[in-house]
Every structure is written in structure tokens, then in C-alpha cells.
Amino acid sequence: MQAAPLRATPRPLPSVTGALRAVEAVLMRGGQRTARRNAWTSVLEDRRRAKDRREAQYVLEAAATGHPQAT
């Protein structure tokens, strides 16, 4: 009885994000991972708020000078 020939199928390479998460999982405990992700979420939220403040400032300045607001 002969064994069936093996087919070599290429495995997809992991994404950079996936590789970094794997390294993070090995190097850090669960609590540290959670804290790091929470910190990054806070950074993104702060950036969103800063963008909203800049847009509001632009609208207020345009209204104060009588210029029509650009859409």
C-alpha cells in the first residue's frame, strides 16, 4: 500500500500586526497587555477630541469674522 503524495501548499505569512501581537503575548502578562491597549485607546480618543476642538475653533473663528463656513 502506497501513501498518497503530499501536496505542498504555501501557508500565508502572518501580518505585521499579528506578529507583533504574538510577540506581545509572549513577553507580557495579560494585565500588562490590557493596560497597554487601554493606554493606546486613550491616546486615540485624545487625538479625536483634539481634532474636534480644532474643527470647532475653525467654525467659531469663521462665524466671528463673517466668513462662510467651508464644508
Side-chain angles (χ1 to χ4, degrees):
M1 180 189 240
Q2 289 185 347
L6 296 175
R7 284 186 263 167
T9 56
R11 292 175 51 182
L13 295 175
S15 68
V16 173
T17 303
L20 289 174
R21 286 193 190 269
V23 170
E24 179 187 47
V26 170
L27 296 177
M28 295 186 172
R29 293 181 175 174
Q32 289 174 324
R33 273 196 309 264
T34 300
R36 191 173 184 145
R37 286 193 184 121
N38 288 344
W40 182 244
T41 299
S42 294
V43 167
L44 295 178
E45 184 66 18
D46 288 346
R47 289 178 181 175
R48 186 194 61 77
R49 280 193 218 109
K51 180 182 174 210
D52 290 346
R53 278 194 303 272
R54 284 191 304 270
E55 290 173 356
Q57 174 108 20
Y58 175 77
V59 170
L60 290 172
E61 287 174 359
T65 60
H67 291 13
Q69 178 184 352
T71 57

